[in-house]
Amino acid sequence: MPASTEASIHLGAASPVSTPDSRLTPGGPGYRRMSFALFLAGVATFALLYSTQALLPLISGEFGVAASEASWTVAAATGGLALFVLPMSAVSERFGRRTVMTASLAVAVTVGLLVPFAPSLPALVALRAVQGAALAGLPASATAYLAEEVRPKALVTAIGLFVAGNSVGGMSGRVITGWVAQEWGWRVAVGVIGAIAVACAVAFRLLLPAPRHFKAGSLKPRVLLGTVRAHLSNPLLCRLYAIGALFMTVFGGVYTVIGYRLTEAPFSLPQGIIGSIFLVYLVGTVSASTAGRLVGRLGRRGALYAAGGTTATGLLLSLADSLPVVLLGLVLITGGFFAGHAVASSAVSKTATHGRAQASALYQSAYYIGSSAGSTVGALAFHAGGWAGTVTVGLLAVLGVVTITVLGTRAARVQQRLATA
């Protein structure tokens, strides 16, 4: 045997053996099952969470309340999710992402089957709050699962597919409830959504691969608070949390109020047609799933500028009294929102080097606080100033997104100058 070969063998034996990366990657085994399972979880989550949004005019009519009161059936669900997402993320650190996601969906779909029987508006709001709290175990656990089980280069795309499931769920929930409610009322409509969510939850549990890279953490409050404190002291994470909340403020306000606007003159549309308006969510499915390519071309901040500009343009177009122009505005609002959300949420998962579930949970908490605020403030603005009031709230939120992104750009440049000094 040549000496050089012997030396190579000797050096090879002394060198550490690198283990192959066993995380999932597009085209690899298990990736499609994982993607489809989480896609279905996203469908169930958003279909349940916003199941009453397209039905608010009917709920207002049955209970004799204004838009600002009926909007609490949406705000209570998103508020419950916002309050419980952080504690549920801690539970997922201890008991596993898949276990918590399965339990969350099981409770949420059970409550979803009870919602049609709510005897009063307060009872309906209470059930929706419980449903939102149950769903809290899913969003942060899903993004943490992806961060652990998917290779970094594929993470934006994987999270984009999960967000795309959210858009499909939001769309199908509103379209289906619109047409069903037109024939049989809002109670049957939310019952149908509950049944669809049951099917999604069962398929999700059967398809999702068992986690291979999860490491159990601690449930001690001191450890949890330390992790949360560390995330909140990270300026980049805080900016991303604020961006998620502001984008969702726009989205929550627009889609809570749009049904009321379209039932009034000059549109005067029936409930089924109003429900079909939410087919524009398909634009969100595309924009969220292609967010990775957008970041690749423009960078994270460039993608956020593009998303904010698209959303603002849509808001301005929606002021028109022409239905085609309003629809174009909704298309741009939806596309801009879902792109911005996918970019910001994936950036959180990449930025957090530890306590990913808590980092994602804080983002989700801010995100759904924004949804609750948008639903409530958007409805109040509509009551006070019509659709122009709701649009003003949205434009202020977009201005906040752009301002925060500009500050982030400046902070990054300062850090670069310090590093090269």
PDB file of all heavy atoms in Angstrom, residues 371-411:
ATOM      1  N   SER A 371     -54.553  41.325  14.889  1.00  0.00           N
ATOM      2  CA  SER A 371     -55.817  40.917  14.292  1.00  0.00           C
ATOM      3  C   SER A 371     -56.994  41.401  15.131  1.00  0.00           C
ATOM      4  O   SER A 371     -57.976  41.947  14.604  1.00  0.00           O
ATOM      5  CB  SER A 371     -55.878  39.397  14.155  1.00  0.00           C
ATOM      6  OG  SER A 371     -57.122  38.984  13.643  1.00  0.00           O
ATOM      7  N   SER A 372     -56.909  41.202  16.454  1.00  0.00           N
ATOM      8  CA  SER A 372     -57.982  41.643  17.346  1.00  0.00           C
ATOM      9  C   SER A 372     -58.134  43.163  17.293  1.00  0.00           C
ATOM     10  O   SER A 372     -59.249  43.689  17.230  1.00  0.00           O
ATOM     11  CB  SER A 372     -57.694  41.198  18.786  1.00  0.00           C
ATOM     12  OG  SER A 372     -57.725  39.796  18.890  1.00  0.00           O
ATOM     13  N   ALA A 373     -57.000  43.857  17.320  1.00  0.00           N
ATOM     14  CA  ALA A 373     -57.040  45.321  17.259  1.00  0.00           C
ATOM     15  C   ALA A 373     -57.624  45.788  15.929  1.00  0.00           C
ATOM     16  O   ALA A 373     -58.450  46.705  15.882  1.00  0.00           O
ATOM     17  CB  ALA A 373     -55.640  45.894  17.453  1.00  0.00           C
ATOM     18  N   GLY A 374     -57.188  45.142  14.828  1.00  0.00           N
ATOM     19  CA  GLY A 374     -57.700  45.528  13.527  1.00  0.00           C
ATOM     20  C   GLY A 374     -59.197  45.301  13.409  1.00  0.00           C
ATOM     21  O   GLY A 374     -59.924  46.146  12.875  1.00  0.00           O
ATOM     22  N   SER A 375     -59.682  44.140  13.913  1.00  0.00           N
ATOM     23  CA  SER A 375     -61.114  43.843  13.852  1.00  0.00           C
ATOM     24  C   SER A 375     -61.926  44.874  14.624  1.00  0.00           C
ATOM     25  O   SER A 375     -62.941  45.383  14.134  1.00  0.00           O
ATOM     26  CB  SER A 375     -61.379  42.443  14.421  1.00  0.00           C
ATOM     27  OG  SER A 375     -60.716  41.457  13.674  1.00  0.00           O
ATOM     28  N   THR A 376     -61.464  45.195  15.831  1.00  0.00           N
ATOM     29  CA  THR A 376     -62.214  46.108  16.688  1.00  0.00           C
ATOM     30  C   THR A 376     -62.098  47.553  16.215  1.00  0.00           C
ATOM     31  O   THR A 376     -63.101  48.248  16.025  1.00  0.00           O
ATOM     32  CB  THR A 376     -61.708  46.001  18.138  1.00  0.00           C
ATOM     33  OG1 THR A 376     -61.796  44.636  18.571  1.00  0.00           O
ATOM     34  CG2 THR A 376     -62.539  46.867  19.062  1.00  0.00           C
ATOM     35  N   VAL A 377     -60.863  48.018  16.012  1.00  0.00           N
ATOM     36  CA  VAL A 377     -60.652  49.408  15.606  1.00  0.00           C
ATOM     37  C   VAL A 377     -61.192  49.649  14.194  1.00  0.00           C
ATOM     38  O   VAL A 377     -61.776  50.701  13.903  1.00  0.00           O
ATOM     39  CB  VAL A 377     -59.154  49.774  15.683  1.00  0.00           C
ATOM     40  CG1 VAL A 377     -58.920  51.199  15.191  1.00  0.00           C
ATOM     41  CG2 VAL A 377     -58.653  49.622  17.111  1.00  0.00           C
ATOM     42  N   GLY A 378     -61.009  48.655  13.311  1.00  0.00           N
ATOM     43  CA  GLY A 378     -61.540  48.796  11.960  1.00  0.00           C
ATOM     44  C   GLY A 378     -63.053  48.940  11.952  1.00  0.00           C
ATOM     45  O   GLY A 378     -63.607  49.752  11.196  1.00  0.00           O
ATOM     46  N   ALA A 379     -63.738  48.149  12.802  1.00  0.00           N
ATOM     47  CA  ALA A 379     -65.204  48.248  12.893  1.00  0.00           C
ATOM     48  C   ALA A 379     -65.634  49.579  13.491  1.00  0.00           C
ATOM     49  O   ALA A 379     -66.605  50.198  13.033  1.00  0.00           O
ATOM     50  CB  ALA A 379     -65.748  47.088  13.721  1.00  0.00           C
ATOM     51  N   LEU A 380     -64.918  50.041  14.520  1.00  0.00           N
ATOM     52  CA  LEU A 380     -65.240  51.338  15.116  1.00  0.00           C
ATOM     53  C   LEU A 380     -65.015  52.470  14.115  1.00  0.00           C
ATOM     54  O   LEU A 380     -65.809  53.415  14.025  1.00  0.00           O
ATOM     55  CB  LEU A 380     -64.389  51.567  16.368  1.00  0.00           C
ATOM     56  CG  LEU A 380     -64.740  50.699  17.583  1.00  0.00           C
ATOM     57  CD1 LEU A 380     -63.681  50.871  18.677  1.00  0.00           C
ATOM     58  CD2 LEU A 380     -66.125  51.065  18.120  1.00  0.00           C
ATOM     59  N   ALA A 381     -63.923  52.379  13.354  1.00  0.00           N
ATOM     60  CA  ALA A 381     -63.640  53.400  12.342  1.00  0.00           C
ATOM     61  C   ALA A 381     -64.701  53.399  11.251  1.00  0.00           C
ATOM     62  O   ALA A 381     -65.102  54.456  10.743  1.00  0.00           O
ATOM     63  CB  ALA A 381     -62.258  53.164  11.735  1.00  0.00           C
ATOM     64  N   PHE A 382     -65.184  52.212  10.893  1.00  0.00           N
ATOM     65  CA  PHE A 382     -66.245  52.112   9.896  1.00  0.00           C
ATOM     66  C   PHE A 382     -67.532  52.747  10.412  1.00  0.00           C
ATOM     67  O   PHE A 382     -68.235  53.459   9.688  1.00  0.00           O
ATOM     68  CB  PHE A 382     -66.481  50.643   9.545  1.00  0.00           C
ATOM     69  CG  PHE A 382     -67.568  50.421   8.522  1.00  0.00           C
ATOM     70  CD1 PHE A 382     -67.339  50.684   7.185  1.00  0.00           C
ATOM     71  CD2 PHE A 382     -68.799  49.931   8.904  1.00  0.00           C
ATOM     72  CE1 PHE A 382     -68.328  50.477   6.231  1.00  0.00           C
ATOM     73  CE2 PHE A 382     -69.800  49.720   7.959  1.00  0.00           C
ATOM     74  CZ  PHE A 382     -69.559  49.991   6.630  1.00  0.00           C
ATOM     75  N   HIS A 383     -67.832  52.513  11.676  1.00  0.00           N
ATOM     76  CA  HIS A 383     -69.032  53.094  12.282  1.00  0.00           C
ATOM     77  C   HIS A 383     -68.929  54.618  12.322  1.00  0.00           C
ATOM     78  O   HIS A 383     -69.922  55.326  12.113  1.00  0.00           O
ATOM     79  CB  HIS A 383     -69.208  52.544  13.702  1.00  0.00           C
ATOM     80  CG  HIS A 383     -70.413  53.079  14.412  1.00  0.00           C
ATOM     81  ND1 HIS A 383     -71.698  52.702  14.097  1.00  0.00           N
ATOM     82  CD2 HIS A 383     -70.528  53.989  15.424  1.00  0.00           C
ATOM     83  CE1 HIS A 383     -72.553  53.342  14.876  1.00  0.00           C
ATOM     84  NE2 HIS A 383     -71.867  54.129  15.701  1.00  0.00           N
ATOM     85  N   ALA A 384     -67.714  55.128  12.566  1.00  0.00           N
ATOM     86  CA  ALA A 384     -67.533  56.574  12.706  1.00  0.00           C
ATOM     87  C   ALA A 384     -67.364  57.282  11.359  1.00  0.00           C
ATOM     88  O   ALA A 384     -67.873  58.393  11.176  1.00  0.00           O
ATOM     89  CB  ALA A 384     -66.315  56.861  13.590  1.00  0.00           C
ATOM     90  N   GLY A 385     -66.641  56.658  10.420  1.00  0.00           N
ATOM     91  CA  GLY A 385     -66.318  57.358   9.176  1.00  0.00           C
ATOM     92  C   GLY A 385     -66.516  56.559   7.922  1.00  0.00           C
ATOM     93  O   GLY A 385     -65.979  56.942   6.868  1.00  0.00           O
ATOM     94  N   GLY A 386     -67.227  55.445   7.996  1.00  0.00           N
ATOM     95  CA  GLY A 386     -67.441  54.631   6.808  1.00  0.00           C
ATOM     96  C   GLY A 386     -66.174  53.896   6.399  1.00  0.00           C
ATOM     97  O   GLY A 386     -65.205  53.789   7.158  1.00  0.00           O
ATOM     98  N   TRP A 387     -66.177  53.404   5.159  1.00  0.00           N
ATOM     99  CA  TRP A 387     -65.042  52.617   4.675  1.00  0.00           C
ATOM    100  C   TRP A 387     -63.756  53.429   4.675  1.00  0.00           C
ATOM    101  O   TRP A 387     -62.669  52.899   4.917  1.00  0.00           O
ATOM    102  CB  TRP A 387     -65.335  52.093   3.278  1.00  0.00           C
ATOM    103  CG  TRP A 387     -64.229  51.252   2.716  1.00  0.00           C
ATOM    104  CD1 TRP A 387     -63.387  51.580   1.701  1.00  0.00           C
ATOM    105  CD2 TRP A 387     -63.838  49.952   3.159  1.00  0.00           C
ATOM    106  NE1 TRP A 387     -62.489  50.559   1.473  1.00  0.00           N
ATOM    107  CE2 TRP A 387     -62.751  49.541   2.355  1.00  0.00           C
ATOM    108  CE3 TRP A 387     -64.312  49.093   4.142  1.00  0.00           C
ATOM    109  CZ2 TRP A 387     -62.126  48.317   2.513  1.00  0.00           C
ATOM    110  CZ3 TRP A 387     -63.695  47.863   4.305  1.00  0.00           C
ATOM    111  CH2 TRP A 387     -62.604  47.482   3.505  1.00  0.00           C
ATOM    112  N   ALA A 388     -63.859  54.730   4.436  1.00  0.00           N
ATOM    113  CA  ALA A 388     -62.664  55.583   4.450  1.00  0.00           C
ATOM    114  C   ALA A 388     -61.995  55.557   5.820  1.00  0.00           C
ATOM    115  O   ALA A 388     -60.758  55.625   5.917  1.00  0.00           O
ATOM    116  CB  ALA A 388     -63.037  57.020   4.077  1.00  0.00           C
ATOM    117  N   GLY A 389     -62.772  55.423   6.891  1.00  0.00           N
ATOM    118  CA  GLY A 389     -62.201  55.324   8.235  1.00  0.00           C
ATOM    119  C   GLY A 389     -61.396  54.050   8.406  1.00  0.00           C
ATOM    120  O   GLY A 389     -60.287  54.067   8.961  1.00  0.00           O
ATOM    121  N   THR A 390     -61.934  52.938   7.900  1.00  0.00           N
ATOM    122  CA  THR A 390     -61.211  51.666   7.984  1.00  0.00           C
ATOM    123  C   THR A 390     -59.929  51.713   7.159  1.00  0.00           C
ATOM    124  O   THR A 390     -58.876  51.221   7.588  1.00  0.00           O
ATOM    125  CB  THR A 390     -62.114  50.518   7.489  1.00  0.00           C
ATOM    126  OG1 THR A 390     -63.319  50.499   8.263  1.00  0.00           O
ATOM    127  CG2 THR A 390     -61.412  49.179   7.612  1.00  0.00           C
ATOM    128  N   VAL A 391     -59.992  52.318   5.987  1.00  0.00           N
ATOM    129  CA  VAL A 391     -58.803  52.442   5.137  1.00  0.00           C
ATOM    130  C   VAL A 391     -57.747  53.303   5.804  1.00  0.00           C
ATOM    131  O   VAL A 391     -56.539  53.001   5.741  1.00  0.00           O
ATOM    132  CB  VAL A 391     -59.191  53.029   3.755  1.00  0.00           C
ATOM    133  CG1 VAL A 391     -57.956  53.446   2.961  1.00  0.00           C
ATOM    134  CG2 VAL A 391     -59.982  51.993   2.960  1.00  0.00           C
ATOM    135  N   THR A 392     -58.160  54.361   6.483  1.00  0.00           N
ATOM    136  CA  THR A 392     -57.201  55.218   7.188  1.00  0.00           C
ATOM    137  C   THR A 392     -56.442  54.435   8.249  1.00  0.00           C
ATOM    138  O   THR A 392     -55.217  54.569   8.394  1.00  0.00           O
ATOM    139  CB  THR A 392     -57.931  56.408   7.832  1.00  0.00           C
ATOM    140  OG1 THR A 392     -58.577  57.177   6.813  1.00  0.00           O
ATOM    141  CG2 THR A 392     -56.950  57.305   8.593  1.00  0.00           C
ATOM    142  N   VAL A 393     -57.152  53.597   8.999  1.00  0.00           N
ATOM    143  CA  VAL A 393     -56.499  52.753  10.000  1.00  0.00           C
ATOM    144  C   VAL A 393     -55.467  51.850   9.324  1.00  0.00           C
ATOM    145  O   VAL A 393     -54.333  51.688   9.804  1.00  0.00           O
ATOM    146  CB  VAL A 393     -57.544  51.906  10.764  1.00  0.00           C
ATOM    147  CG1 VAL A 393     -56.863  50.872  11.653  1.00  0.00           C
ATOM    148  CG2 VAL A 393     -58.445  52.809  11.607  1.00  0.00           C
ATOM    149  N   GLY A 394     -55.832  51.260   8.189  1.00  0.00           N
ATOM    150  CA  GLY A 394     -54.916  50.383   7.472  1.00  0.00           C
ATOM    151  C   GLY A 394     -53.686  51.109   6.963  1.00  0.00           C
ATOM    152  O   GLY A 394     -52.557  50.603   7.065  1.00  0.00           O
ATOM    153  N   LEU A 395     -53.862  52.296   6.417  1.00  0.00           N
ATOM    154  CA  LEU A 395     -52.722  53.049   5.901  1.00  0.00           C
ATOM    155  C   LEU A 395     -51.762  53.455   7.014  1.00  0.00           C
ATOM    156  O   LEU A 395     -50.535  53.444   6.828  1.00  0.00           O
ATOM    157  CB  LEU A 395     -53.214  54.290   5.155  1.00  0.00           C
ATOM    158  CG  LEU A 395     -53.904  54.035   3.814  1.00  0.00           C
ATOM    159  CD1 LEU A 395     -54.498  55.326   3.263  1.00  0.00           C
ATOM    160  CD2 LEU A 395     -52.932  53.429   2.807  1.00  0.00           C
ATOM    161  N   LEU A 396     -52.296  53.792   8.177  1.00  0.00           N
ATOM    162  CA  LEU A 396     -51.429  54.116   9.313  1.00  0.00           C
ATOM    163  C   LEU A 396     -50.608  52.895   9.732  1.00  0.00           C
ATOM    164  O   LEU A 396     -49.427  53.010  10.084  1.00  0.00           O
ATOM    165  CB  LEU A 396     -52.267  54.628  10.487  1.00  0.00           C
ATOM    166  CG  LEU A 396     -52.879  56.022  10.310  1.00  0.00           C
ATOM    167  CD1 LEU A 396     -53.837  56.334  11.462  1.00  0.00           C
ATOM    168  CD2 LEU A 396     -51.791  57.080  10.217  1.00  0.00           C
ATOM    169  N   ALA A 397     -51.235  51.717   9.683  1.00  0.00           N
ATOM    170  CA  ALA A 397     -50.509  50.493  10.036  1.00  0.00           C
ATOM    171  C   ALA A 397     -49.401  50.204   9.027  1.00  0.00           C
ATOM    172  O   ALA A 397     -48.286  49.820   9.399  1.00  0.00           O
ATOM    173  CB  ALA A 397     -51.480  49.316  10.123  1.00  0.00           C
ATOM    174  N   VAL A 398     -49.682  50.393   7.726  1.00  0.00           N
ATOM    175  CA  VAL A 398     -48.654  50.182   6.700  1.00  0.00           C
ATOM    176  C   VAL A 398     -47.513  51.176   6.882  1.00  0.00           C
ATOM    177  O   VAL A 398     -46.327  50.823   6.737  1.00  0.00           O
ATOM    178  CB  VAL A 398     -49.256  50.310   5.287  1.00  0.00           C
ATOM    179  CG1 VAL A 398     -48.154  50.297   4.228  1.00  0.00           C
ATOM    180  CG2 VAL A 398     -50.232  49.175   5.019  1.00  0.00           C
ATOM    181  N   LEU A 399     -47.850  52.420   7.215  1.00  0.00           N
ATOM    182  CA  LEU A 399     -46.813  53.415   7.485  1.00  0.00           C
ATOM    183  C   LEU A 399     -45.918  52.956   8.627  1.00  0.00           C
ATOM    184  O   LEU A 399     -44.689  53.144   8.589  1.00  0.00           O
ATOM    185  CB  LEU A 399     -47.460  54.761   7.824  1.00  0.00           C
ATOM    186  CG  LEU A 399     -46.506  55.907   8.173  1.00  0.00           C
ATOM    187  CD1 LEU A 399     -45.573  56.221   6.999  1.00  0.00           C
ATOM    188  CD2 LEU A 399     -47.294  57.151   8.582  1.00  0.00           C
ATOM    189  N   GLY A 400     -46.517  52.313   9.626  1.00  0.00           N
ATOM    190  CA  GLY A 400     -45.729  51.763  10.724  1.00  0.00           C
ATOM    191  C   GLY A 400     -44.769  50.677  10.251  1.00  0.00           C
ATOM    192  O   GLY A 400     -43.610  50.630  10.685  1.00  0.00           O
ATOM    193  N   VAL A 401     -45.238  49.797   9.349  1.00  0.00           N
ATOM    194  CA  VAL A 401     -44.381  48.740   8.799  1.00  0.00           C
ATOM    195  C   VAL A 401     -43.178  49.343   8.079  1.00  0.00           C
ATOM    196  O   VAL A 401     -42.022  48.933   8.284  1.00  0.00           O
ATOM    197  CB  VAL A 401     -45.178  47.841   7.829  1.00  0.00           C
ATOM    198  CG1 VAL A 401     -44.242  46.920   7.054  1.00  0.00           C
ATOM    199  CG2 VAL A 401     -46.215  47.020   8.579  1.00  0.00           C
ATOM    200  N   VAL A 402     -43.437  50.334   7.232  1.00  0.00           N
ATOM    201  CA  VAL A 402     -42.359  50.960   6.463  1.00  0.00           C
ATOM    202  C   VAL A 402     -41.371  51.666   7.387  1.00  0.00           C
ATOM    203  O   VAL A 402     -40.148  51.564   7.219  1.00  0.00           O
ATOM    204  CB  VAL A 402     -42.942  51.948   5.433  1.00  0.00           C
ATOM    205  CG1 VAL A 402     -41.826  52.734   4.745  1.00  0.00           C
ATOM    206  CG2 VAL A 402     -43.781  51.201   4.396  1.00  0.00           C
ATOM    207  N   THR A 403     -41.888  52.359   8.389  1.00  0.00           N
ATOM    208  CA  THR A 403     -41.019  53.072   9.338  1.00  0.00           C
ATOM    209  C   THR A 403     -40.106  52.115  10.084  1.00  0.00           C
ATOM    210  O   THR A 403     -38.893  52.352  10.216  1.00  0.00           O
ATOM    211  CB  THR A 403     -41.869  53.878  10.334  1.00  0.00           C
ATOM    212  OG1 THR A 403     -42.697  54.800   9.623  1.00  0.00           O
ATOM    213  CG2 THR A 403     -40.979  54.644  11.312  1.00  0.00           C
ATOM    214  N   ILE A 404     -40.665  51.022  10.572  1.00  0.00           N
ATOM    215  CA  ILE A 404     -39.876  50.034  11.311  1.00  0.00           C
ATOM    216  C   ILE A 404     -38.820  49.406  10.404  1.00  0.00           C
ATOM    217  O   ILE A 404     -37.674  49.180  10.817  1.00  0.00           O
ATOM    218  CB  ILE A 404     -40.798  48.952  11.910  1.00  0.00           C
ATOM    219  CG1 ILE A 404     -41.657  49.564  13.025  1.00  0.00           C
ATOM    220  CG2 ILE A 404     -39.991  47.779  12.446  1.00  0.00           C
ATOM    221  CD1 ILE A 404     -42.772  48.661  13.487  1.00  0.00           C
ATOM    222  N   THR A 405     -39.179  49.121   9.162  1.00  0.00           N
ATOM    223  CA  THR A 405     -38.224  48.529   8.227  1.00  0.00           C
ATOM    224  C   THR A 405     -37.092  49.495   7.915  1.00  0.00           C
ATOM    225  O   THR A 405     -35.924  49.096   7.815  1.00  0.00           O
ATOM    226  CB  THR A 405     -38.942  48.100   6.930  1.00  0.00           C
ATOM    227  OG1 THR A 405     -40.056  47.263   7.263  1.00  0.00           O
ATOM    228  CG2 THR A 405     -38.006  47.331   6.026  1.00  0.00           C
ATOM    229  N   VAL A 406     -37.413  50.780   7.768  1.00  0.00           N
ATOM    230  CA  VAL A 406     -36.375  51.798   7.548  1.00  0.00           C
ATOM    231  C   VAL A 406     -35.423  51.848   8.737  1.00  0.00           C
ATOM    232  O   VAL A 406     -34.191  51.893   8.571  1.00  0.00           O
ATOM    233  CB  VAL A 406     -37.009  53.182   7.300  1.00  0.00           C
ATOM    234  CG1 VAL A 406     -35.948  54.280   7.365  1.00  0.00           C
ATOM    235  CG2 VAL A 406     -37.718  53.212   5.953  1.00  0.00           C
ATOM    236  N   LEU A 407     -35.975  51.839   9.946  1.00  0.00           N
ATOM    237  CA  LEU A 407     -35.128  51.853  11.143  1.00  0.00           C
ATOM    238  C   LEU A 407     -34.231  50.613  11.195  1.00  0.00           C
ATOM    239  O   LEU A 407     -33.070  50.690  11.585  1.00  0.00           O
ATOM    240  CB  LEU A 407     -36.005  51.930  12.397  1.00  0.00           C
ATOM    241  CG  LEU A 407     -36.777  53.245  12.599  1.00  0.00           C
ATOM    242  CD1 LEU A 407     -37.710  53.131  13.799  1.00  0.00           C
ATOM    243  CD2 LEU A 407     -35.820  54.411  12.777  1.00  0.00           C
ATOM    244  N   GLY A 408     -34.795  49.465  10.790  1.00  0.00           N
ATOM    245  CA  GLY A 408     -33.995  48.247  10.755  1.00  0.00           C
ATOM    246  C   GLY A 408     -32.868  48.332   9.741  1.00  0.00           C
ATOM    247  O   GLY A 408     -31.757  47.858   9.994  1.00  0.00           O
ATOM    248  N   THR A 409     -33.150  48.927   8.599  1.00  0.00           N
ATOM    249  CA  THR A 409     -32.116  49.098   7.571  1.00  0.00           C
ATOM    250  C   THR A 409     -30.987  49.975   8.082  1.00  0.00           C
ATOM    251  O   THR A 409     -29.799  49.675   7.894  1.00  0.00           O
ATOM    252  CB  THR A 409     -32.729  49.715   6.302  1.00  0.00           C
ATOM    253  OG1 THR A 409     -33.780  48.868   5.832  1.00  0.00           O
ATOM    254  CG2 THR A 409     -31.683  49.871   5.211  1.00  0.00           C
ATOM    255  N   ARG A 410     -31.342  51.073   8.744  1.00  0.00           N
ATOM    256  CA  ARG A 410     -30.323  51.967   9.296  1.00  0.00           C
ATOM    257  C   ARG A 410     -29.507  51.278  10.372  1.00  0.00           C
ATOM    258  O   ARG A 410     -28.273  51.431  10.428  1.00  0.00           O
ATOM    259  CB  ARG A 410     -30.994  53.219   9.867  1.00  0.00           C
ATOM    260  CG  ARG A 410     -31.573  54.143   8.797  1.00  0.00           C
ATOM    261  CD  ARG A 410     -32.230  55.355   9.414  1.00  0.00           C
ATOM    262  NE  ARG A 410     -32.740  56.257   8.391  1.00  0.00           N
ATOM    263  CZ  ARG A 410     -33.446  57.363   8.661  1.00  0.00           C
ATOM    264  NH1 ARG A 410     -33.719  57.683   9.920  1.00  0.00           N
ATOM    265  NH2 ARG A 410     -33.867  58.130   7.671  1.00  0.00           N
ATOM    266  N   ALA A 411     -30.171  50.504  11.243  1.00  0.00           N
ATOM    267  CA  ALA A 411     -29.450  49.789  12.291  1.00  0.00           C
ATOM    268  C   ALA A 411     -28.472  48.786  11.698  1.00  0.00           C
ATOM    269  O   ALA A 411     -27.343  48.629  12.184  1.00  0.00           O
ATOM    270  CB  ALA A 411     -30.440  49.081  13.210  1.00  0.00           C
TER     271      ALA A 411
END
